[in-house]
Amino acid sequence: MDAALQDLAHGMREALAIWAALLAAVFVTFVVLTLLSKWQEARAGRPSWWARLRKAIRDPEAARERQLAMERKNAELQELQRYSDEVAVAASRTSVMAGRRREEWEAAQRTQEAAWRAYEEAEKEVRRLERAQAFPLTEDDPDTRRQHMVRMVNAAHQRGELSAAHLADALMHRNGWDPTEHPFAQQLRMRRIIRDRLFRAYQQASTLEREAAAAADLAASSKRSLDDEAFSATLQVRSAPRQASLRSSSVRFQHS
């Protein structure tokens, strides 16, 4: 009986020695790995496995928080992409509008130039008649003068040089129209009316040209602004994943 007890006690001592040796080996291994990890952490500048393990033990919700943060970042990225697409569409439409406004301005410029040339031609004709009137005028029949005036104003109205109101004034002998005047004087009066009418048309064309120029400038400015906004939004979309990755790495390093 004593021998059996001695054998049991001897076996227990051996088992305890083995377990102690194993625990010592595990402890030494743990210490060595910890020191190596801290040394690598100091060299590489990133958290060690022990720091990550500590964080996981202290904060069991870390994975869920990271998942929620990733979902928020994805939602922000999608919203930024949607905004970028909308700005790009608006910039495209504004570009079309700017081109249309410039075409309208160029057309208004051509109309203004044509109106000015027509006015200059009318002014030259008035001056020619004024010089011709300085010479002695021939005598003719009053009925002939009246018929000449009627034919003259009707022809000018058909050519679009006289308005209906001016034609009515001439036929009704109003606003200075006198059928008994010499044909040179009648023609000079009509040419002055045509010249003044063309000058008013030139003034109206100039007003339209200025308005078209202002609209074209505004459209061009809006186009430049939206182009800049679209470019900025595109850059934000492209740089957002990289910035999010850098922020996540920085947060993980700080928490560890």
Side-chain angles (χ1 to χ4, degrees):
M1 186 66 180
D2 293 336
L5 291 175
Q6 289 178 358
D7 292 337
L8 178 61
H10 181 71
M12 289 181 64
R13 284 195 297 272
E14 290 181 352
L16 289 174
I18 293 173
W19 277 105
L22 290 175
L23 290 175
V26 170
F27 178 76
V28 171
T29 302
F30 176 77
V31 171
V32 171
L33 289 177
T34 301
L35 293 176
L36 287 175
S37 177
K38 288 185 176 296
W39 178 72
Q40 291 176 354
E41 177 184 0
R43 288 190 59 187
R46 60 175 181 268
S48 63
W49 70 271
W50 172 241
R52 294 194 295 271
L53 179 61
R54 254 187 335 184
K55 177 176 174 58
I57 294 174
R58 287 200 311 262
D59 189 6
E61 296 295 327
R64 178 173 175 79
E65 290 180 0
R66 286 194 297 271
Q67 181 65 27
L68 292 176
M70 183 64 67
E71 291 177 357
R72 287 194 297 270
K73 295 301 179 184
N74 289 336
E76 292 175 1
L77 183 59
Q78 291 176 359
E79 181 64 20
L80 186 60
Q81 182 65 55
R82 184 189 64 80
Y83 173 72
S84 176
D85 294 340
E86 290 179 353
V87 173
V89 171
S92 177
R93 292 176 179 173
T94 305
S95 178
V96 174
M97 182 60 66
R100 189 177 305 165
R101 290 289 180 264
R102 181 168 183 83
E103 292 176 358
E104 293 174 355
W105 174 44
E106 292 174 352
Q109 279 185 315
R110 291 191 294 268
T111 302
Q112 180 193 32
E113 292 170 358
W116 177 253
R117 288 193 298 269
Y119 165 73
E120 285 186 326
E121 292 297 325
E123 179 66 19
K124 290 178 182 178
E125 184 66 17
V126 169
R127 291 178 181 176
R128 184 186 68 81
L129 290 174
E130 288 175 346
R131 290 192 299 268
Q133 197 178 22
F135 294 94
L137 303 178
T138 59
E139 296 294 334
D140 51 11
D141 185 71
D143 292 335
T144 303
R145 295 183 179 185
R146 183 181 294 106
Q147 293 172 6
H148 174 269
M149 188 187 75
V150 171
R151 288 194 302 269
M152 180 183 66
V153 296
N154 275 295
H157 176 65
Q158 291 176 359
R159 291 192 301 268
E161 295 175 344
L162 287 181
S163 65
H166 289 138
L167 176 63
D169 288 341
L171 297 179
M172 298 297 293
H173 311 156
R174 297 179 307 200
N175 293 329
W177 284 98
D178 185 1
T180 63
E181 282 185 327
H182 192 276
F184 267 151
Q186 294 174 357
Q187 190 173 8
L188 178 58
R189 181 181 301 279
M190 184 185 73
R191 287 300 168 184
R192 285 172 175 168
I193 292 174
I194 293 173
R195 178 200 61 187
D196 295 342
R197 185 166 179 256
L198 289 174
F199 184 70
R200 287 193 295 272
Y202 165 73
Q203 289 178 319
Q204 293 175 357
S206 298
T207 301
L208 293 177
E209 187 273 337
R210 288 192 296 270
E211 293 175 353
D217 289 342
L218 179 61
S221 177
S222 299
K223 176 183 178 301
R224 289 191 297 269
S225 177
L226 281 175
D227 285 344
D228 293 342
E229 186 69 20
F231 181 73
S232 176
T234 302
L235 287 181
Q236 290 179 10
V237 170
R238 291 179 179 177
S239 61
R242 182 172 178 272
Q243 292 177 357
S245 177
L246 292 176
R247 285 196 298 267
S248 298
S249 299
S250 176
V251 170
R252 286 197 301 268
F253 180 75
Q254 291 174 359
H255 279 279
S256 63

